[in-house]
Amino acid sequence: MGDAVSDQWGTGDVLGRVLEAMRASGLPTDSTTVEALVPVDHFHARGFKSTQELADNLPVKPGDRLVDIGCGIGGPARYLAQRFDCRVEGIDITPPFVTAGNHLSALTGMQDRVKIVLGDGQHLPYPDQSFDGGYSQHVTMNIADRDRFFAEAFRVLRPGAFFALTEHGLGQGGPVHHPVPWSDDGSHEHLMTPEDTVTRLKAAGFERIRLSETGPKYLEGYRRMMELAAKGDLPRLGVHILLGPDAPAKTRNAAWNIEEGRTRPIEILCFRPV
Ligand SMILES: C[S@@+](CC[C@H](N)C(=O)[O-])C[C@H]1O[C@@H](n2cnc3c(N)ncnc32)[C@H](O)[C@@H]1O
């Protein structure tokens, strides 16, 4: 199952494509900044804006150690490490993302504070209670064993640590239109209603669970991307280079699913009890 999920997200020379897009947009490729990569390395609905807003609510202190489960090419990890002067360990199941992520961390001089390893969020390679906080942005749509995923997150967090989650939850509006970024045809898709997600988080032991619906904000982001694409104005450096040739269809369907209530995007913040 790992291979199929990772093939959905990224195959081939992802790093080469990012470097090529950097060159095409006039950026140097031997060194860069966390800010310069923002258009391409926050690989989720609304990109960097969502990460910023999520970060605004996270109780992170300088020197903290965080885990980013399903970190992609590491934009959110680098941003949080820089913003809070903390360290972030990222884990992702897609090999070319791990390669690209670590290379981009080195280009931004963040390699000592952001480390990315290859692995499955359902089996975290970290000791118990290693982290002061954790987050997972737009990953759980592909997680078959949600209970195991949440139990693993809980296990590696220290008592009192936060866990933040963003995802496309399942709505009541009927079957999901495909392709979407997480699945071309419904395979390896494991959407869950927000209510079910909260129940599973509680069962894993999390408390103080705060849920917000993010659908309207995501729609704005998808519509903006579709407008730019229609005008041929998409920037050279953007997440469409990670989504691949089906980017327009995936973006349109992601928006359509929200509009018709087939998906219900959410953001959750919760805590491991002290
Ligand atoms: C939409 S991308 C989000 C990437 C990153 N969180 C971000 O926001 O920039 C989804 C990511 O989840 C990863 N992923 C999916 N299933 C995973 C699993 N079981 N374990 C670890 N990573 C996984 C994919 O490889 C992909 O990088």
Side-chain angles (χ1 to χ4, degrees):
M1 112 85 177
D3 280 1
V5 172
S6 71
D7 287 353
Q8 174 69 32
W9 286 109
T11 53
D13 186 8
V14 172
L15 175 61
R17 296 207 295 277
V18 173
L19 293 174
E20 182 47 40
M22 287 170 68
R23 251 178 243 116
S25 41
L27 290 175
T29 54
D30 54 350
S31 111
T32 189
T33 61
V34 169
E35 291 77 13
L37 295 177
V38 150
V40 71
D41 64 4
H42 292 255
F43 189 20
H44 49 250
R46 284 178 80 230
F48 179 52
K49 273 193 197 160
S50 306
T51 310
Q52 256 182 325
E53 288 175 12
L54 184 73
D56 288 345
N57 293 313
L58 300 182
V60 188
K61 300 180 302 305
D64 274 359
R65 199 162 163 247
L66 310 184
V67 62
D68 181 339
I69 308 172
C71 63
I73 63 170
R78 284 183 290 275
Y79 169 69
L80 264 70
Q82 179 170 273
R83 171 169 168 175
F84 294 113
D85 192 16
C86 66
R87 300 168 67 89
V88 185
E89 306 274 337
I91 177 166
D92 201 279
I93 206 165
T94 302
F97 282 3
V98 174
T99 306
N102 283 321
H103 188 96
L104 296 174
S105 292
L107 287 187
T108 53
M110 298 292 288
Q111 67 276 17
D112 295 335
R113 284 197 275 155
V114 176
K115 294 243 187 305
I116 301 177
V117 296
L118 182 64
D120 184 340
Q122 294 161 113
H123 307 274
L124 294 177
Y126 310 111
D128 295 356
Q129 303 190 10
S130 331
F131 295 101
D132 303 294
Y135 59 97
S136 187
Q137 286 177 287
H138 279 60
V139 178
T140 35
M141 295 86 71
N142 289 126
I143 298 300
D145 191 344
R146 188 68 77 103
D147 291 332
R148 166 121 206 164
F149 185 89
F150 289 157
E152 278 293 89
F154 188 89
R155 179 183 67 74
V156 302
L157 294 174
R158 63 161 181 74
F162 70 84
F163 181 57
L165 176 81
T166 68
E167 68 172 7
H168 290 264
L170 185 65
Q172 305 295 325
V176 168
H177 300 294
H178 297 100
V180 281
W182 60 89
S183 177
D184 283 346
D185 54 10
S187 51
H188 311 291
E189 177 176 80
H190 301 282
L191 302 187
M192 191 172 273
T193 63
E195 291 75 16
D196 232 359
T197 293
V198 168
T199 302
R200 309 287 181 119
L201 283 166
K202 279 187 191 153
F206 288 104
E207 64 171 19
R208 290 190 280 149
I209 301 174
R210 201 179 72 204
L211 178 145
S212 35
E213 306 258 353
T214 45
K217 285 182 181 175
Y218 285 6
L219 262 182
E220 225 175 83
Y222 288 130
R223 285 194 185 123
R224 169 99 190 114
M225 207 163 148
M226 288 189 291
E227 271 167 33
L228 290 175
K231 287 193 279 181
D233 275 349
L234 279 175
R236 297 303 294 267
L237 192 64
V239 292
H240 52 281
I241 67 172
L242 302 177
L243 282 173
D246 282 348
K250 288 176 177 174
T251 308
R252 187 197 61 228
N253 286 337
W256 196 11
N257 287 322
I258 298 171
E259 279 166 348
E260 295 180 351
R262 295 168 193 267
T263 56
R264 251 176 86 194
I266 53 164
E267 181 177 304
I268 286 182
L269 179 62
C270 58
F271 293 84
R272 178 169 171 155
V274 177

